[in-house]
Amino acid sequence: MVSEHSDAQDDDTTALALKILVAGGFGVGKTTLVGAVSEIRPLRTEELLSEAGQLVDDTDGVDQKVTTTVAMDFGRITIRSGLSLYLFGTPGQDRFWFLWDELSQGALGAVVLADTRRLEDCFPAVDYFEHRHIPFVVAVNCFAGARSYGAEDVSRALDLDPGTPVVLCDARDRDSGKEVLIRLVEYAGRMHTARLLDSVG
C-alpha cells in the first residue's frame, strides 16, 4: 500500500500542466476549437448576441453566429503521459481585451486562429503576443467556401516574424486541433530554450 501511495505521489509531482491561450477575431472558431479538443466538458461563458451588440459586433461573414464569449472558454487535453494543456479561449471583441492581460499570465504560448475571409480580424491578437514576446502559432481555420491560401501566403499577409509557424486546421476536428497544439508546444519550447541560453550566454 505504501509503495502504491508513493507511486501516486511521484506521478503527481512529475505531471506537467501548461497554460495555452486560444485567441483571434470574433467568430473565428475559438470556442469550437477548445470544445473539440477538450477531454473534459468545456467551461463556456457564452451569451446570446443582442440588438444592442449589433452596433459593435461585426457579424459580416459569420451571419449564422448567435452567441459570443464574454469572459473565456476553458478546456483541458492530455498530450501524453505527464503532459496536460489547460486551454483558455479569449473573447474576440476589443471591448473584452482587458481580460487578455489576466488570461495571459503564466501562459506558455498561444494559438491565434485566423479566417482568411476576415484575416484583418486576427491582427490585434498577433500584435498582442508579438509585443509581449509570447510564442504563438497562427492556425488558419479552413471554413467551407473560403478561398484557400498556403501557409506562406498567410505569413506574408500578416507580416509575421520569421519562423512563426502557420498551420491549416479544422477547428471542429479533434485530431486537427491536437496537431495545432503540438506544433505550438514544440515551437514555444524552442523559443523558451533559446531565450534561456541567451540569458546565460
Side-chain angles (χ1 to χ4, degrees):
M1 294 294 288
V2 174
S3 64
E4 288 179 6
H5 179 67
S6 161
D7 289 344
Q9 281 186 325
D10 288 344
D11 288 344
D12 289 342
T13 56
T14 56
L16 181 61
L18 304 174
K19 182 179 183 181
I20 301 294
L21 300 186
V22 179
F26 176 66
V28 76
K30 300 179 295 293
T31 298
T32 300
L33 177 64
V34 172
V37 300
S38 180
E39 62 198 22
I40 62 171
R41 183 177 180 182
L43 167 68
R44 293 178 172 159
T45 58
E46 290 197 304
E47 294 292 339
L48 289 171
L49 291 172
S50 65
E51 288 186 16
Q54 289 177 355
L55 300 174
V56 290
D57 293 331
D58 179 13
T59 58
D60 238 14
V62 286
D63 304 341
Q64 303 304 313
K65 188 170 176 60
V66 295
T67 62
T68 186
T69 299
V70 296
M72 67 173 187
D73 299 310
F74 174 78
R76 186 189 71 211
I77 179 174
T78 301
I79 295 295
R80 58 172 170 73
S81 178
L83 176 60
S84 297
L85 304 182
Y86 290 161
L87 308 175
F88 292 82
T90 65
Q93 301 96 312
D94 54 5
R95 67 182 184 278
F96 296 123
W97 284 351
F98 67 92
L99 293 168
W100 286 34
D101 287 336
E102 291 294 327
L103 291 174
S104 64
Q105 291 294 320
L108 173 77
V111 173
V112 175
L113 269 179
D115 177 353
T116 56
R117 300 169 302 178
R118 298 155 52 106
L119 198 57
E120 68 280 0
D121 289 359
C122 73
F123 286 169
V126 168
D127 289 343
Y128 182 91
F129 297 121
E130 282 185 343
H131 285 109
R132 286 160 182 79
H133 305 290
I134 296 174
F136 68 94
V137 301
V138 173
V140 179
N141 193 7
C142 298
F143 287 92
R147 183 177 169 189
S148 79
Y149 293 89
E152 290 184 7
D153 296 326
V154 173
S155 182
R156 280 195 300 270
L158 294 176
D159 193 25
L160 297 177
D161 290 339
T164 302
V166 176
V167 294
L168 307 182
C169 75
D170 181 345
R172 302 165 299 178
D173 182 75
R174 177 180 173 82
D175 289 337
S176 181
K178 189 172 180 180
E179 186 59 36
V180 170
L181 296 172
I182 290 171
R183 286 287 300 275
L184 171 62
V185 171
E186 291 173 346
Y187 175 64
R190 292 195 302 270
M191 294 292 289
H192 286 295
T193 299
R195 290 172 189 169
L196 182 61
L197 292 174
D198 284 345
S199 68
V200 299

